[in-house]
């Protein structure tokens, strides 16, 4: 943007010297205009797009304003909500403000069910539209070769709708957004050694590393918990574990299969459920991820603590998790949880 923007500015200076100031609107404009700036667009390109859509009066005025604004060269590709007939300086000011972008924000740990609902709402689609498209087109959205084909997996895209902010327009199709999310997940996962992590922690390939990371994300209350939570998972999976005998016993997995978020779940309810995602009745990891982990949860799954943690309790019921190395220590933590009014 800086290079070509500078060239554009030279052109503007010549224009100004010969003809006077470039045509420009005054004020902040009116109404709402959705503008998409593609990747690789430079100052003059951006000005052209804005002029064609009635946002600014001339390309030269925009290029000048972009160069005069200290943040002008930081304008990125994306979708912006601007106004009609804005002064060039106001347009630039608005575009360097993140709030002007029309973004779909997916929080870390979001389950796919919630992501599908967000997409439907953002695009004003009938509820269930995106979920249906995801189900019918999952194999066409760019999943990596190592993605599991396990028949017990609830949603093959779970763990691949990467938590981030995505630009959308009114014309964006759900499958296009899903494809972007899967592509972003692939990019992030390629940055780390998933194969090496799987071998190191005796997992069956990258798929299980992502699954472990999703459990870390779901059970960890704070980022400080993540590495300890990852160690709990790996310690419980060990064949030598005689404390829980390879049962993870995570409420988050039971909540996932029931699409709920309960803190107190009756043991009778849990024990009668034999679903593969119920880690109280099924040994080992869930068949697939139970959400979309962020970078920190993934990093924790790759590099857990090595302190001997095997138990944990959310002692305040919501925000605080405490860890224990023995069953007796666990019982003391459980007493703290049971004492909550």
């Amino acid at each position: 943007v800086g290079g070509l923007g500078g060239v554009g500015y030279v052109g503007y200076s010549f224009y100004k010297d010969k003809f006077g100031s470039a045509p420009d609107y005054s004020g902040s404009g009116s109404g709402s205009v959705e503008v998409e700036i593609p990747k690789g667009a430079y100052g003059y390109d951006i000005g052209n797009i804005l002029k064609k859509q009635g946002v600014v009066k001339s390309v030269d005025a925009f290029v000048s304003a972009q160069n005069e604004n200290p943040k002008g060269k930081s304008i990125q590709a994306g979708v912006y909500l601007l106004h009609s007939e804005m002064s060039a300086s106001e347009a630039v000011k608005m575009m360097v403000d993140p709030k002007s972008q029309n973004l779909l924000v997916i929080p870390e740990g979001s389950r796919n069910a919630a992501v599908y609902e967000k997409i439907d709402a953002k695009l004003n689609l009938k509820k269930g539209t995106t979920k249906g498209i995801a189900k019918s087109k999952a194999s066409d959205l760019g999943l990596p070769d190592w993605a599991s084909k396990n028949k017990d997996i609830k949603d093959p895209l779970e763990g691949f709708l990467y938590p981030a902010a995505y630009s959308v327009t009114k014309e964006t199709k759900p499958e296009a957004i899903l494809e972007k999310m899967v592509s972003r997940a692939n990019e992030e996962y390629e940055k780390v050694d998933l194969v090496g992590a799987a071998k190191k922690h005796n997992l069956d390939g990258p798929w299980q590393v992502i699954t472990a990371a999703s459990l870390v994300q779901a059970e960890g209350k704070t980022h400080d918990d993540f590495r300890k939570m990852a160690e709990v998972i790996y310690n419980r999976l060990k064949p030598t574990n005689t404390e829980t005998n390879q049962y993870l016993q995570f409420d988050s997995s039971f909540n996932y299969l029931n699409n709920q978020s309960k803190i107190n779940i009756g043991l009778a309810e849990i024990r009668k459920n034999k679903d593969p995602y119920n880690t109280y009745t099924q040994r080992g990891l869930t068949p697939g991820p139970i959400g979309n982990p962020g970078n920190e949860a993934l990093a924790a799954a790759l590099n857990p603590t090595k302190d001997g943690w095997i138990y944990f309790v959310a002692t305040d019921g919501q925000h605080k998790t405490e860890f224990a190395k023995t069953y007796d220590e666990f019982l003391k933590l459980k007493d703290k949880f049971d004492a909550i009014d």
Side-chain angles (χ1 to χ4, degrees):
V1 172
L4 292 192
V7 172
Y9 188 58
V10 171
Y12 170 68
S13 297
F14 174 79
Y15 179 100
K16 184 176 180 181
D17 291 341
K18 190 169 184 178
F19 302 108
S21 297
D24 196 5
Y25 294 120
S26 61
S28 56
S30 61
S32 180
V33 180
E34 194 174 68
V35 179
E36 182 170 11
I37 305 300
K39 287 184 179 180
Y42 299 105
Y44 194 83
D45 303 318
I46 296 171
N48 246 319
I49 293 169
L50 298 182
K51 182 176 183 296
K52 286 178 180 178
Q53 295 196 224
V55 175
V56 298
K57 197 167 189 177
S58 70
V59 175
D60 289 312
F62 174 80
V63 172
S64 174
Q66 184 187 29
N67 280 275
E68 289 172 0
N69 188 308
K71 297 181 180 180
K73 296 181 179 67
S74 68
I75 295 175
Q76 302 291 319
V79 178
Y80 296 85
L81 292 175
L82 304 173
H83 304 303
S84 294
E85 300 186 358
M86 305 178 70
S87 71
S89 61
E90 283 296 314
V92 173
K93 181 180 177 181
M94 200 167 180
M95 292 183 81
V96 297
D97 182 352
K99 295 178 182 178
S100 72
Q101 282 200 273
N102 189 14
L103 299 173
L104 172 68
V105 180
I106 306 301
E108 295 178 347
S110 296
R111 297 172 187 163
N112 280 10
V115 176
Y116 299 148
E117 290 180 358
K118 276 180 169 287
I119 294 174
D120 285 345
K122 191 71 174 178
L123 301 181
N124 294 315
L125 300 173
K126 182 181 178 182
K127 188 174 181 180
T129 299
T130 302
K131 181 179 180 180
I133 291 172
K135 185 176 181 179
S136 64
K137 298 189 176 183
S139 61
D140 302 323
L141 296 174
L143 290 174
D145 293 338
W146 49 260
S148 177
K149 306 296 191 298
N150 188 329
K151 62 180 178 58
D152 291 326
I153 289 173
K154 306 288 185 189
D155 183 343
L157 295 181
E158 198 78 63
F160 286 95
L161 303 186
Y162 196 81
Y166 298 90
S167 297
V168 298
T169 69
K170 295 173 184 176
E171 289 75 31
T172 301
K173 302 297 183 183
E175 51 266 45
I177 298 179
L178 295 174
E179 192 170 0
K180 280 185 182 179
M181 292 176 174
V182 173
S183 176
R184 176 66 184 277
N186 287 333
E187 289 177 11
E188 296 298 327
Y189 295 159
E190 286 172 2
K191 293 177 183 177
V192 296
D193 185 8
L194 294 178
V195 173
K199 291 179 179 178
K200 179 180 178 181
H201 300 296
N202 298 311
L203 302 178
D204 294 334
W207 180 258
Q208 287 201 328
V209 179
I210 304 304
T211 299
S214 75
L215 290 162
V216 166
Q217 183 84 61
E219 290 286 350
K221 303 299 181 190
T222 68
H223 293 301
D224 292 336
D225 296 339
F226 287 170
R227 292 187 66 220
K228 292 180 179 179
M229 195 65 68
E231 185 187 359
V232 169
I233 291 172
Y234 296 141
N235 283 340
R236 291 191 182 188
L237 292 176
K238 289 178 179 178
T240 56
N241 165 26
T242 57
E243 295 285 329
T244 67
N245 298 303
Q246 294 81 57
Y247 290 99
L248 290 183
Q249 299 177 329
F250 279 13
D251 290 355
S252 56
S253 63
F254 186 79
N255 279 331
Y256 173 77
L257 71 91
N258 287 290
N259 196 27
Q260 62 187 24
S261 298
K262 290 184 178 180
I263 296 175
N264 291 304
I265 304 172
L267 282 178
E269 179 186 4
I270 288 177
R271 286 173 178 165
K272 71 180 181 181
N273 186 303
K274 306 299 180 183
D275 190 281
Y277 278 78
N278 184 0
T279 54
Y280 279 89
T281 60
Q282 309 296 317
R283 285 187 170 90
L285 292 169
T286 51
I290 64 168
N292 294 284
N295 277 335
E296 289 189 45
L298 180 60
L302 270 63
N303 184 31
T305 55
K306 300 176 182 178
D307 300 321
W309 304 118
I310 196 166
Y311 296 102
F312 66 96
V313 178
T315 48
D316 69 348
Q318 292 185 357
H319 308 295
K320 183 179 180 180
T321 301
E322 295 186 64
F323 295 81
K325 301 175 184 179
T326 68
Y327 187 67
D328 287 339
E329 291 175 352
F330 162 73
L331 290 178
K332 291 177 182 178
L333 295 180
K334 186 174 181 299
D335 286 342
K336 290 175 68 172
F337 174 78
D338 291 340
I340 298 174
D341 293 331

